Amino acid sequence: MTSIASNAHPDAPIGVFDSGVGGLSVLRHIRAQLPQEDLIYFADSAYAPYGDKTEQQVIDRSLAIAAYLLEQGAKALVVACNTATISAIKALRARYPELPIVGVEPGLKPAAAISRNGKIGVLATERTLRGDKLLALREQVSNATGATFVLQPCIGLADRIEQCALGNDPLDATSAMLERYIAPVLAQGVDTLVLGCTHYPFVQDAIERTVRAHTQETITLVDTGEAVARQLARLLDAAGLRRSSSSDAPRLQGYTTASVESLATAFAGLLDLQPPVAHVAV
Ligand code: DGL
């Protein structure tokens, strides 16, 4: 069994990964809440999207990326991808039992807590919505709160947003897809929409426009990026691994399994950052 406990150090970086640029929506919350930490962002763009892969394929990619990030000295791992969390977090925790690992899963619990009518739409990839972990979570929250969930697989949406972020696709194409997926969910009377994919917060404005075109009601959008960053801070504190603010200036490094230019463009366009980015074959 692999252990990191003996060599983990507060000055080591935190590894964050996603199938592509979606995890940058989580990275921005981590940077805001833990500004002193060194971060490594890994975009598995050569294998994106994860949403249409088998569960085993997503597990294999997640384990390979985690091993790479640990080789780079990561002291903690953030699975900044709902699809990878639902499919692979169990395997990651089994492989690295002592590593602080934080996943992102669709915010069904916070949605049930804020919904006024108990009807909630969940937008996510097909792989996420078919995962046992998600279905168990839905049952647990439904039993506890009486909330009902309309699960809407948004096939192709993460990919479209990725292309839009890279400037390859006009926002119009994304908006047409949002209309197709969101309209039927709103028609079922939901008052809350869970953004169950880390790509979706990057088109929050377009989602809000789509919603306004269909209803005057207030529809609350739920994104768990901020809660993930809070949980990461808690785990680092519990393990004594939080980097001190008096350490050197924090560093950010990007890695991608596809085009370096594309990830650099996404960093600049989505977060206004220009970190070094390197290509890796993992
Ligand atoms: N950003 C991802 C998620 O949160 C993955 C999307 C995909 O690769 O299909 O699910």
Side-chain angles (χ1 to χ4, degrees):
M1 195 155 289
T2 317
S3 167
I4 60 125
S6 53
N7 55 13
H9 188 278
D11 282 343
I14 297 165
V16 180
F17 80 90
D18 177 48
S19 61
V21 304
L24 294 177
S25 72
V26 178
L27 188 91
R28 68 181 167 190
H29 289 292
I30 297 173
R31 281 173 45 84
Q33 288 191 42
L34 295 165
Q36 72 282 15
E37 297 290 342
D38 283 356
L39 301 172
I40 302 175
Y41 186 81
F42 190 109
D44 197 19
S45 302
Y47 295 84
Y50 283 176
D52 63 5
K53 302 287 183 295
T54 65
E55 188 169 84
Q56 192 56 50
Q57 285 172 319
V58 178
I59 292 173
D60 291 346
R61 289 309 302 153
S62 300
L63 289 173
I65 293 164
Y68 180 77
L69 290 170
L70 288 176
E71 272 168 32
Q72 306 308 304
K75 65 180 176 185
L77 186 66
V78 178
V79 185
C81 172
N82 292 261
T83 311
T85 300
I86 294 293
S87 303
I89 201 145
K90 207 168 138 199
L92 288 166
R93 291 199 167 121
R95 175 78 55 96
Y96 303 108
E98 296 182 49
L99 178 69
I101 302 179
V102 184
V104 186
E105 61 185 19
L108 272 56
K109 272 186 214 162
I114 55 180
S115 169
R116 301 173 305 279
N117 68 5
K119 288 188 192 160
I120 295 154
V122 185
L123 310 175
T125 69
E126 203 179 11
R127 166 72 25 234
T128 295
L129 295 179
R130 284 220 229 131
D132 291 342
K133 190 166 160 46
L134 189 279
L135 297 173
L137 178 66
R138 177 179 67 169
E139 197 176 321
Q140 184 204 330
V141 180
S142 288
N143 290 342
T145 65
T148 55
F149 294 95
V150 180
L151 304 185
Q152 175 64 61
C154 300
I155 297 161
L157 182 57
D159 213 22
R160 187 51 39 100
I161 293 169
E162 185 106 6
Q163 294 310 317
C164 189
L166 301 179
N168 300 338
D169 229 9
L171 183 61
D172 285 4
T174 304
S175 300
M177 203 175 246
L178 288 173
E179 169 69 25
R180 181 143 50 86
Y181 290 135
I182 291 176
V185 179
L186 292 174
Q188 298 199 47
V190 306
D191 71 358
T192 307
L193 277 179
V194 175
L195 306 186
C197 169
T198 52
H199 282 73
Y200 303 168
F202 286 125
V203 290
Q204 181 158 338
D205 290 351
I207 292 173
E208 282 168 354
R209 273 197 300 280
T210 308
V211 166
R212 278 198 303 275
H214 287 274
T215 176
Q216 308 294 330
E217 303 292 321
T218 303
I219 306 290
T220 312
L221 303 185
V222 175
D223 163 29
T224 51
E226 200 178 334
V228 167
R230 272 201 306 275
Q231 174 65 359
L232 174 62
R234 274 194 290 270
L235 288 190
L236 292 179
D237 285 341
L241 285 176
R242 200 191 278 224
R243 190 169 191 247
S244 125
S245 51
S246 60
S247 305
D248 295 341
R251 281 171 304 180
L252 173 62
Q253 166 75 50
Y255 289 109
T256 174
T257 50
S259 146
V260 165
E261 292 71 29
S262 293
L263 183 56
T265 302
F267 264 115
L270 298 172
L271 300 186
D272 200 15
L273 293 171
Q274 282 83 28
V277 175
H279 176 268
V280 280
V282 169

